[in-house]
Amino acid sequence: MKTFFNKYYDDAKPRTYLVGINPGRLGSGITGIGFADAYHLENYCDMPNSFDKRVEISAAFMFEVMEAYGGVEKFYKDFFFTTVMPLGLLKNDKNYNYYDDIETQKVLEPFIEETLLKQMSFPQAKPNIICVGQGKNLKYLEAFNKKHHCFGNIEVVPHPRWVMQYRRKEKQKYIDVYLEVLSRVLA
């Protein structure tokens, strides 16, 4: 993580956050880097690593978006991946989302609130964000913003896992949706 952050974020340039759900067990849950698995870190970011080089489908989609945007260097100069819940959650050895049940969400709420507000207080955080996920993650961020007034505007893109699992044949259409939203927030 330190090598990655020194390579791409060693400056004071403001960036727009893409706010996901929580780290997945095969991607950022291993690497610590949002929507990045070991394979893509090594092959796209020139960062050799000792992790298992399994391709995680959300990472695969996001790196296609980054390439279409102009490459990883350009993308990371403008954007930063983060999550509502910064820690990966597992249940029965499968990814588990902070919102999968109301009790889990209630228990995690103070930690989520503290970490999300802290991230938005960074001088590099632009006020407008992009929510990664059109369902429960967006609903949560809208309610969070109603309470805390920390986002200027919330744009939304479909979750890459949803695209790759249910709309893979239309993948280019969704890459174009991402590019449109990324361009709009920078305008």
Side-chain angles (χ1 to χ4, degrees), residues 16-180:
T16 299
Y17 288 1
L18 284 102
V19 184
I21 300 165
N22 43 255
R25 67 186 171 91
L26 301 176
S28 61
I30 292 171
T31 65
I33 299 156
F35 292 100
D37 58 22
Y39 171 84
H40 288 90
L41 283 179
E42 191 161 298
N43 292 288
Y44 287 79
C45 300
D46 193 29
M47 296 183 66
N49 61 78
S50 61
F51 299 122
D52 181 8
K53 302 303 183 291
R54 285 180 58 176
V55 172
E56 197 276 326
I57 63 172
S58 292
F61 178 81
M62 286 300 200
F63 275 86
E64 285 191 56
V65 168
M66 287 183 236
E67 286 298 302
Y69 184 75
V72 293
E73 286 84 9
K74 182 178 181 199
F75 180 87
Y76 289 129
K77 283 183 181 171
D78 293 329
F79 300 99
F80 180 80
F81 286 118
T82 191
T83 54
V84 171
M85 174 59 194
L87 301 175
L89 304 172
L90 294 176
K91 185 173 187 177
N92 301 323
D93 292 326
K94 294 189 179 188
N95 287 345
Y96 190 72
N97 300 317
Y98 71 89
Y99 55 64
D100 281 342
D101 74 68
I102 196 68
E103 291 304 315
T104 299
Q105 185 175 318
K106 283 181 183 177
V107 168
L108 295 173
E109 188 70 32
F111 181 68
I112 290 171
E113 185 174 292
E114 176 187 343
T115 57
L116 197 51
L117 288 172
K118 185 173 186 175
Q119 289 181 76
M120 289 310 297
S121 73
F122 295 159
Q124 294 87 355
K126 288 188 172 181
N128 296 335
I129 65 165
I130 301 170
C131 174
V132 180
Q134 299 169 306
K136 293 178 181 178
N137 203 41
L138 176 60
K139 185 177 175 183
Y140 183 86
L141 285 170
E142 288 173 336
F144 188 89
N145 197 41
K146 191 172 185 178
K147 179 178 179 183
H148 298 286
H149 309 284
C150 56
F151 313 129
N153 186 44
I154 302 173
E155 292 282 345
V156 64
V157 291
H159 197 282
R161 180 161 205 66
W162 178 84
V163 172
M164 297 296 275
Q165 195 166 349
Y166 301 110
R167 300 291 190 270
R168 191 181 293 249
K169 290 181 181 178
E170 301 173 87
K171 180 173 60 171
Q172 187 57 52
K173 170 184 161 184
Y174 291 100
I175 290 171
D176 292 342
V177 166
Y178 268 73
L179 295 176
E180 178 186 327

